[in-house]
Structure formats: structure tokens, C-alpha cells
Amino acid sequence: MKHRLRRSSVFPTPPLVGVVFILSTVLSHAQDSRKENEGTIELSPFVVTSDKDRGYTAASTVAGSRFETSLKETSAVIGVLNREFLDDIQATDIAQAAAWGASIYTAGSEDQFATQGFQPNVTFRGVTGSVNSIARNYFPTVIAADAFETERIDLSHGPNAALYGEGTLGGVVSATTKRAMLGRSLYRVSARTDSEASFRTTVDINVPVGGDAALRFNGLRDRNNGWRDGNFSNKDALHIAGTWRIFRDTNLRGEISAGHAERAAPVENFGERISNWDGVTGYTQPRTTNLPSGGTVGLSNTVDYLVFTSGAPEIGVTNLKGWGRSEGANQPINPDPAVNAKYFPNRPGKFPVLPSREFTMNPSDTPMGVQNYRVFAGYLDHTFFDKLTIEIADQYQYNSIDMWQNVPTTLYADVNKVRPDGSPNPYFGHYYADVPYQYQLIRYWTNDARIMAGYTFGGKKWNQKIIALASQRRDFNTLTRRQVVRLNGSDPSILSSANTVYVRRYMDDENGPMGVPESSNGIDVGWRPTYIQKALVRTNTLQAGITGRYWDGKVNTFLGTRYDRWKQDIADKTSALVTADIPPAYIWRSDDPVRNASSDPKMKYPYEYGIRSSNAGVVYFPIKALGVYANYSEGFYSPAGYNSTLQGGQIEPPDSYGYDFGIKLDLFDGRISGSINRYQSSRSGYDSAMSNLAGSLRTLWDATRLSYRSEAAATADPAKAAQLNQAADLADTLYNDLPQNYTDKRNIDANGWELDLTANFTKNWRAIINASVTDNKLTGAWVDTRAYYDEHVAEWRERIASPYTDLKLDTTLTSLEKTFADNADGRALTGTPDYTANFFTTYRIPDGRLRGLKFGGGMQFQGPRIISVVQVYDPVRKTFVIPDALASVKSESTALATAMIAYEFKLFHTDFVAQLNVSNLFDEDKVVYTNTTNYTYTDSTGATVGQQWPTRFRYTPPRSFVFSLTATF
């Protein structure tokens, strides 16, 4: 049985793109043929161009009103990273580039799942946005654009749904892809390598076809080696754009983007189950009882434990039922031995240390994530009477992502001296990790169609533009998890732990091949689905707005409103999960007769709601160089996941609003431009970032029920026993009434200051400067769960005091209270940097012997981030408590320097640019912690000591050199 993450050959046909091309033909016959090829090229007012950009300063945007508008005259807070800046920093993806924007933090390796899923996790204004923060040509997207196809990146701050649709409270990062240019030829080839021997090459060709059409081809081949062992990211992609000026007032644009990517994003964080082992004690046969000493534990001698050893595939799948493994502190492994010694003084020299910063256990031959994607987009616009422009547009996206789930995270020592077949075990004493051999397949199909109209009227001193838009978006996705399981076990359920096949990777394997379990030793194995889900979301939108420009741009206004109707349906799998390969049957919940007949509101589908969003802004320039502005915006984003509320009701979307006000700068004839602003914003309602607490509540009732039963069995009083059993029955009812999963609410107040400037001090000297200070606060978190807690906490506390109660009731309740403390009213949002700041500048020598030499550099600053609430150990309660819900543990700040030098020269009538970029110039090797954990031990006096210590971390990537050579013909 051979299986790898598969390359998809699916190339679905978008249903509406063809309509755009058909309409273009109809319009071409409907127009007067005498208009063909007359006049100058007229661009759509809905298209932003870079022709007027100067240095790092972008001239205009469509993000402020959907009309191309001067940035200085836009009341919405929008930053732009244009093509020249992207080239200077040698960015390859949207996350690298966006990290240079004001108020933006992109997650590091602590977000390994997002990295494997090819989706940047952007924190904007201190608010995590994930997929809701990324757009492509202002269409929401699950396909992050690559730099090879990107012309510029717009950073739209705040919840401006009326302008660009659903998004997060913080804002949206939108990539504008390259367009075919009329009347201009371009042939550009670029190649780059780095200090890890990566290689990336791109091609950019723009070919005019007559005077009224053009095609543009962008190609990419990228073989990127990470600095950690087994870390790589490979990508092959193609982007084709076309422009056809059918008539003077009619334009057709389109693009096709397709790519295949493979990525291995190894984890940096491991837990340990080793430090209790004495290094000697071991098993020579399956256990009948656990060994009395040595820090070992026996696996169950009643449940099979199936293992495929990656480094020894020749022994096949073996059953280790009853054999042993080591035990330890069950704590994360810290990369600093001094930290281990400080927090684990009772384990001198026994707590494991990772071999190096570069260490991973991922196989180099197996990608941990594979992506195949396609994007089709078409835009047809026509202008009537030089006043009214209508655009029909459609974007279709297909995204396929396969992700391995078997990421090794917990290390054990092999304490088995012989193998089950009786032969000596060569791995005795070696460290290993066991993980199920499983992966998940995610498929997205998204179609976003719209028709938009803009009407301009007015005179020289004033003009107004009216915008109207209607759109429909359909999102269909499937999620399938598959796993290697035993097919001939006594239990037919594939979810049975006895049928799970674990892959064992030893540290000795390093980055060797993964291998694939095969049927062997009488154990038949194969791939089977363990979870399947389908979902369909439809969003219909109506939008209208009006912009005003008065007194030659001294005053600019915008008013907008938007209405979205959102509907979600889900398909349930109806067949049982058994080893027999039965094709699953599905039924959409809205079509399920059982659900439709139920009076339970949580059974009703589809989930549906309507939401309105408004926007208003004004910019006033009392003098040419200085303006003041104010902006009000509202926004929302679609609920993620399929959970109900704690009461079983439907999820409602979180709604947001925000105010921005400040000053616009346009100094020295535009040489320095930008804004300084204060923002105040808030989001209320459902929060997808909150973890599900249904399991904790169910554990509390389970422990309470057992406590009552134990006391009832121990009492000699029949009346009291009956009373206790009645209480146990009620606890059992409350346990069963709780949903398996649910979603709660949390409000966020996101406030702060932002400075965002671009400067072109001279023709050859440019810079970007931005900084932000964030003051985010939480309110109303876990409102439903807190109400439930308040209703029942007295009973739980009473049972904790009973000698018949298991300790897990207290520890679970303490954990629940920690969750509340982490989200206490007035508490800053976990993960938000206190501040960010970026500076980058370049200078090009204009003449003399060094003419064409360009050099520069910059700094990126990230302030401390809250990683946990402060906890202390209470020896009386024998648990950790939170003395002050607003006291926090923070990570360290970081400051990374970068530098670049480039030389422009001409050779054989070809323009060349040779460029060297250095990141982390001073080779800072700081470990940045991202979480904490609690640990207790017994000291030399016999007292129990509890400590809170930093865990989970990300390494600062080491200094890296990137050399590129670009030729333009």
C-alpha cells in the first residue's frame, strides 16, 4: 500500500467567467464600429494603477470607495506597499511584506498549522484575523498571493465592510495582482539564491497584441530551503493576465492563476516523557504489572498498541500491547538548559535538551502540506456618456490543501530491551515520538460574482460619484480526515484505539524517509476516512455609496451602506465509521426531515442572518500640506465552524464598528506623505478565536456525579444515600444536556495610535516609517459560560470539599477559572504586541563612478506580547490560583535589522540589477516565548513547590543572505 499526499489534477471550469466573455462580444456588436481605436486609452474608474506612484509613495487606491481615489483624499486609513518596495525588501509572500506595514504582526512558527495550511495568520491592530484578514483584488480569498504575481499590497485598517466586504476588526491585507499593460513590452527574468542554497526564479513578460490588447505572463519556480532540518517550501505557479480595449469606452480584463506547492513546516516545540526514567530499567516481556521503579509505565495489556517504525520498515507493523515506555514531567522541552535547571531542580541532568536550534523530526521526503490551486477572474466594464461606468466581474477559486496530522510533539525513551519477536531492540534507550498516521484533505470552491455601477457628475470645482453594487458569493468546502488503521481487528470501528496504527520516529531517524505502513505480521492495514464534513455558504450583497470632492480637493466625503444576507448549510455523513469500505451517504441538514420536524432551534438549518454595515468619512485640507480627517466604519465576518451556542441557538456574526481621526500630511510637494491617527474600535458577539469549553463543563458534572455516587455508597443512612443518588441523577442529566461543542461570545475594544509615512526626500532617496501603539481590552468574554458557572459553582465547590471527590474536579474548575481570568474584563488581548515599528530606507547614487549603486536597510520592532495571566501555587488548595486577573506574563520585545545593496548596470543592451539582502543583520538568536505552563515538584524538605514557567517558543530565524539577479530586456 503506497500513499503520499496527492497532486490534484482538478481544473474546474468557472461558471460565470464565460458569461463575461460572451457579454463582451455582445457589446462589441452593439457599439458603433466607428468608435474603434479612437482616442486615448480610458481606464476603468474601478482600477487602480501605479503610473503615478513615486518611489515608495502610492498615488491612489480603490479601497476607500471602490473608485480610484487619491490616497490623501481618502478618509479610510489605508497603507500601500508598492512594487518598488517589495523588490527592495525581496519579499516572496504576502506575510513577509505585510509585516512591514503599520499595526501588523504576522505569526511565526508558533502557528504551525496555519503555516502548513498555506494561509498567513495576520494580527492587524492587535486582533488576530487569520483567513478573514486576507484578500485578493479585494475579493476574500483562501489563496494568499505570491510576490511574483503581485503588483502592490493594500493595508486597509479597521472594519470597513461597506468598502471591501467582510473582514476583521483590525483590517484586511489585499494583494493587487499584475495586469496586462497596453502599448508596452516587458521581458524580465529574475533568479535568486540564499545562504540555505534555495533557488527561486521568476519570469514576467508583457506582450502587446496590436494597439488595443495585451497579454502578460508571470511564472514561478521556487525551491526554498528553510534553516531548520527538513524544512522546505517548494512552489511552481503560473499567472496569465489579459487586457482587451474593445472600444474606447469598453475594456475586458481577465486573469488565470494556478500553482502547486509543497511545504514541510517542522515544529519547534516538543513535550517530554523521559525525565523520570533512570536510564537502566527496561522491559524484556509484556507486563503483568508495572515495573516498581525506574520511571517507566506499561502500555495496556488488554488493548492493542500497533506501531510502524519509520527507521526500520522491514519489521513491519508490530503490536506492543503490554510493553513499556518511559515517564517524565509531562512538560515542554525548553531550548535553554539553564531554564530547565531553574524550573526542574529535582531532575538534575535528567531533563532532555534538544540537540540544536535546527533539530526537527520531520522526514525530508514527505511534504507536511500540499496545495493545488486555481483562480479565474474576469472584468468587463463599459462607460456610457463619459459619466456612467458599469462593471461585471467574477472570480472563481479552487483550493486544495492536504495536510499531514502526524506531527511528532512528545518525546519518550524506548525502555523495551527486546522486540515482541524476541530479538534485541537496537533502539533501547533512544528517544522517539509516536503519532497516528493520518492527514486531512480540505477542498474549497468559491465563486464571487458582482455587477457594479458608478456615476460621476459635477463641474470643475466639485464633483460627486455614486457607486452601487450587487454581488453573490458561494463558498463550498469539504473536510476529510483519513488515517491508516487495522482492517482485521476484533472491533470493527475505525475510531477504536486498538485499530490505530502509530508511526514511530526516533531522534536517530533525523530527517530520514517517513515510510508507509504495509500489511504485515498478520495485521492488515489501510487508509480509511475518520471524519467527513461538507458545508455551503451563500452570501448575497447590496451596496451603495457616494463620494464628494469639493473646492479642488480641499474637502472630500464618503457615505456608504451595505446589506449582506448570509446562509450556511452543512451535510452530515449518515453511514457508520467502520473498517468496511462503505461509500458514505450525505444529506444536507436543511433537507433532513427529522431536523425540519424538530422543535429544537439548534436543529434548524440553514443558519441564516442579515447584517447591515455603514461607513462615513470626511477629509479637509485647510492648507495644501496638511489635512484633518475622520472616519466611521462598521464591519462583520462570517462565523467559522458549525457550533451552536451553549443554549443550542444559532450563531450570530460578530459585528464591529470603529472611529479613525487624525491628520494627513503632504509635505514638500508630496515628498513626505502619510497620516497620524487615533483609532477606537470595538467588536461584540461571537468569537471564533475562543476554545470550546463543553469538555470542561462535562468533566465537572462527571466528577460531581461520581462524588455523589461514592458518598452514597459509603453512607449507612438510607435517606441520605437516596438524596445523594438523586443529586447524582441530576448531575447525570446536566452532563447529557450539555452540547458536545458550542461557541461563546467575547467583546474586544481595539484602540491605539498609528503613524504611517512614506518619504521620497530626493529623486534617489526614499523611506518608509511607521509605528503603532496598541491598547486592546476584553469585555464580556464567555458570557454564557460564566452565567452557567455562576449558577453551579457553589455545588462544585461543595463537592470539592468532600473527601469522596476526585482531584480532577478541583483542577478542572481551576482551569476553567484560568480561562475566565485570561479573558477578564479590562484585560489586554493575549498575543497583541504593545507596539510595532518599522523603518526602511534606500539611496541610489545618481552619477559618478558609482552610478547605479543602491544601498539601504531598516529595522523591525515588535513590543512585548502578553502570553499568559500570572498564576501562583496555593499549597492549601494544592492547585494554582490567579491573584490578579489583570497581571500578565509577557514575552520579550524583538528588534531585527535588515540591509540591502544593489547595483544597476547595462550589458548587451539589457538592464541588469544585482542585489544582496541580509535579514537579521546582527544574527540575533533570541528565543521568544509564546505561552506558559505550571509545574509542581517536591523539594528536599518534602514540601510541594509550584512554579509557572515559560513554554512554547519560537526561534528568531538566523541571519540569512539572499542574492538576486534581474534582467530586463
Side-chain angles (χ1 to χ4, degrees):
M1 178 191 66
K2 298 293 183 183
H3 190 92
R4 285 288 186 270
L5 294 185
R6 297 167 294 177
R7 299 191 178 200
S8 172
S9 60
V10 178
F11 203 98
T13 303
L16 293 183
V17 170
V19 175
V20 175
F21 286 88
I22 293 171
L23 285 173
S24 70
T25 305
V26 173
L27 277 176
S28 67
H29 288 289
Q31 300 299 312
D32 187 343
S33 61
R34 290 176 299 175
K35 290 186 177 181
E36 291 188 27
N37 302 321
E38 291 182 359
T40 59
I41 296 174
E42 296 291 337
L43 296 175
S44 167
F46 307 133
V47 176
V48 65
T49 65
S50 58
D51 295 345
K52 297 178 182 179
D53 289 1
R54 183 166 62 176
Y56 292 161
T57 304
S60 60
T61 182
V62 294
S65 64
R66 290 195 180 270
F67 277 99
E68 184 182 24
T69 307
S70 168
L71 268 174
K72 63 178 285 188
E73 297 177 358
T74 304
S75 61
V77 180
I78 299 165
V80 176
L81 305 175
N82 66 10
R83 186 68 242 179
E84 182 174 344
F85 177 75
L86 299 180
D87 288 339
D88 281 349
I89 64 172
Q90 286 287 287
T92 59
D93 60 50
I94 196 170
Q96 282 182 340
W100 285 93
S103 298
I104 292 180
Y105 171 81
T106 55
S109 55
E110 68 266 30
D111 195 350
Q112 190 261 348
F113 183 85
T115 302
Q116 278 187 198
F118 301 90
Q119 189 65 53
N121 195 345
V122 175
T123 296
F124 209 140
R125 286 185 168 179
V127 181
T128 300
S130 191
V131 296
N132 297 297
S133 287
I134 304 296
R136 182 187 181 99
N137 296 320
Y138 277 95
F139 284 106
T141 186
V142 292
I143 303 170
D146 190 283
F148 90 99
E149 61 186 344
T150 300
E151 190 65 36
R152 60 186 258 164
I153 296 174
D154 286 42
L155 312 173
S156 298
H157 300 232
N160 289 302
L163 300 181
Y164 49 74
E166 63 180 286
T168 65
L169 175 65
V172 169
V173 178
S174 180
T176 298
T177 54
K178 295 177 179 179
R179 299 187 177 98
M181 301 174 290
L182 299 179
R184 178 184 172 190
S185 295
L186 173 67
Y187 301 89
R188 179 173 293 152
V189 178
S190 179
R192 59 179 273 172
T193 187
D194 62 24
S195 46
E196 301 296 334
S198 305
F199 185 76
R200 175 184 173 98
T201 182
T202 63
V203 177
D204 186 354
I205 301 173
N206 190 84
V207 181
V209 181
D212 297 312
L215 288 173
R216 190 168 185 177
F217 302 86
N218 286 277
L220 167 70
R221 184 173 180 82
D222 191 0
R223 298 295 179 266
N224 182 52
N225 300 316
W227 60 273
R228 291 174 293 168
D229 298 336
N231 183 197
F232 66 86
S233 180
N234 300 331
K235 186 173 185 179
D236 297 304
L238 176 68
H239 177 261
I240 303 174
T243 300
W244 181 19
R245 181 192 173 215
I246 304 172
F247 304 108
R248 182 177 69 88
D249 298 319
T250 307
N251 299 285
L252 176 65
R253 294 180 294 109
E255 70 169 341
I256 298 173
S257 185
H260 172 84
E262 299 181 352
R263 176 176 292 175
V267 296
E268 294 175 332
N269 293 262
F270 295 85
E272 70 88 24
R273 295 287 186 89
I274 298 169
S275 58
N276 284 348
W277 186 49
D278 61 10
V280 177
T281 303
Y283 286 76
T284 57
Q285 62 182 359
R287 72 180 180 91
T288 53
T289 60
N290 279 326
L291 295 178
S293 63
T296 65
V297 64
L299 299 171
S300 172
N301 57 5
T302 61
V303 178
D304 291 340
Y305 191 88
L306 308 178
V307 171
F308 169 77
T309 302
S310 184
E314 68 278 359
I315 67 174
V317 178
T318 57
N319 190 347
L320 295 183
K321 179 174 67 175
W323 293 84
R325 66 185 180 193
S326 63
E327 273 300 297
N330 195 21
Q331 293 291 313
I333 300 175
N334 195 289
D336 186 351
V339 174
N340 294 334
K342 175 182 177 181
Y343 289 98
F344 298 93
N346 62 324
R347 298 166 187 263
K350 298 180 66 176
F351 201 84
V353 177
L354 298 180
S356 67
R357 288 166 56 94
E358 295 78 19
F359 168 76
T360 69
M361 295 178 67
N362 289 58
S364 58
D365 71 327
T366 305
M368 309 309 290
V370 174
Q371 179 189 43
N372 290 281
Y373 68 88
R374 312 285 186 268
V375 179
F376 303 85
Y379 308 82
L380 174 67
D381 66 78
H382 182 76
T383 301
F384 300 87
F385 320 114
D386 295 326
K387 297 288 186 180
L388 173 65
T389 300
I390 296 178
E391 180 187 82
I392 301 172
D394 180 84
Q395 178 170 275
Y396 179 89
Q397 303 177 62
Y398 168 75
N399 194 28
S400 164
I401 297 175
D402 296 0
M403 287 193 296
W404 286 103
Q405 303 294 289
N406 51 318
V407 178
T409 56
T410 302
L411 296 179
Y412 299 87
D414 193 339
V415 298
N416 300 305
K417 294 184 176 181
V418 297
R419 288 171 168 168
D421 64 1
S423 62
N425 180 12
Y427 292 108
F428 175 70
H430 296 210
Y431 296 168
Y432 70 89
D434 281 352
V435 289
Y437 206 101
Q438 60 185 9
Y439 70 97
Q440 70 177 21
L441 302 86
I442 308 172
R443 305 289 184 265
Y444 301 93
W445 295 264
T446 298
N447 195 79
D448 204 330
R450 73 185 182 209
I451 181 169
M452 186 162 53
Y455 182 70
T456 304
F457 60 96
K460 293 183 178 180
K461 292 187 177 181
W462 67 274
N463 68 74
Q464 292 182 326
K465 299 175 181 178
I466 298 175
I467 182 78
L469 178 147
S471 67
Q472 182 185 74
R473 178 180 172 90
R474 293 172 63 89
D475 297 275
F476 176 67
N477 69 77
T478 65
L479 170 61
T480 303
R481 295 193 181 104
R482 296 179 63 84
Q483 183 171 321
V484 174
V485 296
R486 175 169 54 183
L487 304 178
N488 61 340
S490 58
D491 187 339
S493 172
I494 63 173
L495 298 179
S496 169
S497 61
N499 289 329
T500 299
V501 177
Y502 294 91
V503 173
R504 176 165 294 187
R505 289 190 63 79
Y506 287 89
M507 288 182 64
D508 309 60
D509 298 334
E510 296 180 338
N511 307 113
M514 170 73 79
V516 180
E518 304 279 356
S519 297
S520 53
N521 302 322
I523 301 171
D524 294 338
V525 299
W527 288 96
R528 289 296 182 270
T530 59
Y531 178 89
I532 303 175
Q533 182 75 72
K534 296 184 178 183
L536 174 65
V537 174
R538 288 162 286 184
T539 307
N540 295 321
T541 301
L542 294 174
Q543 178 178 329
I546 182 170
T547 67
R549 188 175 190 271
Y550 311 97
W551 298 290
D552 199 25
K554 271 195 160 186
V555 177
N556 298 271
T557 61
F558 177 74
L559 292 171
T561 186
R562 177 185 174 107
Y563 177 76
D564 290 89
R565 192 72 190 173
W566 185 92
K567 185 182 293 186
Q568 179 195 57
D569 207 351
I570 301 165
D572 287 319
K573 194 175 80 67
T574 58
S575 64
L577 291 172
V578 296
T579 54
D581 195 9
I582 301 173
Y586 298 90
I587 183 170
W588 289 101
R589 292 184 180 181
S590 59
D591 297 329
D592 187 343
V594 176
R595 288 182 176 274
N596 290 329
S598 173
S599 59
D600 188 344
K602 69 183 179 183
M603 299 291 284
K604 298 300 181 184
Y605 270 80
Y607 276 4
E608 187 172 6
Y609 64 81
I611 190 166
R612 290 179 174 84
S613 308
S614 300
N615 178 274
V618 60
V619 183
Y620 170 55
F621 282 89
I623 60 175
K624 182 179 179 181
L626 181 67
V628 295
Y629 71 97
N631 191 72
Y632 172 77
S633 59
E634 296 175 344
F636 75 100
Y637 67 87
S638 302
Y642 318 116
N643 300 336
S644 65
T645 65
L646 179 58
Q647 295 79 16
Q650 287 195 11
I651 299 169
E652 291 296 322
D655 56 356
S656 309
Y657 69 88
Y659 298 92
D660 294 277
F661 43 89
I663 61 174
K664 296 264 189 177
L665 300 175
D666 190 28
L667 307 174
F668 310 113
D669 194 27
R671 290 188 182 91
I672 300 176
S673 61
S675 63
I676 303 172
N677 70 288
R678 167 71 177 174
Y679 64 90
Q680 294 179 323
S681 56
S682 181
R683 185 183 75 196
S684 60
Y686 158 86
D687 192 340
S688 62
M690 301 169 71
S691 58
N692 172 48
L693 292 180
S696 296
L697 297 179
R698 292 167 70 89
T699 298
L700 291 171
W701 283 124
D702 184 51
T704 300
R705 172 183 55 187
L706 293 174
S707 174
Y708 282 130
R709 299 282 190 219
S710 298
E711 187 172 355
T715 185
D717 185 347
K720 184 177 181 181
Q723 183 181 17
L724 289 167
N725 280 320
Q726 185 178 11
D729 291 340
L730 179 58
D732 187 55
T733 299
L734 292 169
Y735 172 92
N736 290 319
D737 285 346
L738 283 167
Q740 293 286 341
N741 297 287
Y742 73 91
T743 300
D744 215 323
K745 305 177 184 69
R746 182 172 68 172
N747 307 328
I748 298 175
D749 293 331
N751 307 317
W753 293 88
E754 293 171 331
L755 165 72
D756 193 3
L757 301 176
T758 59
N760 298 286
F761 301 112
T762 68
K763 183 178 179 181
N764 296 287
W765 182 18
R766 59 255 291 122
I768 66 163
I769 305 166
N770 60 61
S772 65
V773 178
T774 305
D775 180 23
N776 288 357
K777 295 291 186 293
L778 299 173
T779 60
W782 298 111
V783 59
D784 291 341
T785 308
R786 286 176 186 267
Y788 193 91
Y789 164 88
D790 291 339
E791 181 181 357
H792 299 290
V793 65
E795 181 178 4
W796 293 329
R797 288 282 178 218
E798 178 185 346
R799 296 316 303 169
I800 287 174
S802 168
Y804 300 96
T805 302
D806 189 275
L807 182 62
K808 71 178 180 180
L809 180 59
D810 193 7
T811 56
T812 303
L813 188 60
T814 300
S815 176
L816 179 64
E817 291 168 344
K818 178 186 180 297
T819 299
F820 292 159
D822 278 335
N823 296 271
D825 284 358
R827 181 169 177 76
L829 193 62
T830 298
T832 300
D834 290 348
Y835 61 85
T836 65
N838 299 291
F839 168 75
F840 190 85
T841 184
T842 61
Y843 181 76
R844 180 180 179 276
I845 298 176
D847 48 36
R849 292 186 176 180
L850 297 179
R851 180 181 178 181
L853 184 66
K854 186 181 194 180
F855 56 91
M859 292 287 294
Q860 291 181 287
F861 301 90
Q862 296 284 350
R865 302 167 65 207
I866 292 176
I867 59 176
S868 178
V869 65
V870 172
Q871 300 177 74
V872 296
Y873 184 72
D874 184 342
V876 177
R877 289 180 55 188
K878 298 181 180 180
T879 189
F880 285 84
V881 297
I882 300 162
D884 181 359
L886 301 184
S888 299
V889 180
K890 290 189 175 184
S891 68
E892 291 188 63
S893 60
T894 61
L896 297 179
T898 184
M900 65 84 67
I901 186 169
Y903 182 59
E904 304 170 7
F905 60 97
K906 186 179 288 288
L907 185 65
F908 305 119
H909 306 290
T910 302
D911 294 322
F912 287 91
V913 178
Q915 183 169 323
L916 176 67
N917 288 70
V918 185
S919 61
N920 192 2
L921 181 63
F922 303 115
D923 204 18
E924 174 66 62
D925 62 353
K926 182 179 293 184
V927 174
V928 180
Y929 291 99
T930 59
N931 207 341
T932 67
T933 193
N934 299 326
Y935 172 67
T936 59
Y937 67 92
T938 303
D939 66 14
S940 57
T941 67
T944 300
V945 178
Q947 298 192 68
Q948 181 182 20
W949 68 299
T951 60
R952 292 204 63 83
F953 60 89
R954 60 181 175 86
Y955 289 118
T956 301
R959 179 168 52 209
S960 176
F961 298 87
V962 176
F963 176 77
S964 65
L965 181 64
T966 301
T968 302
F969 304 92

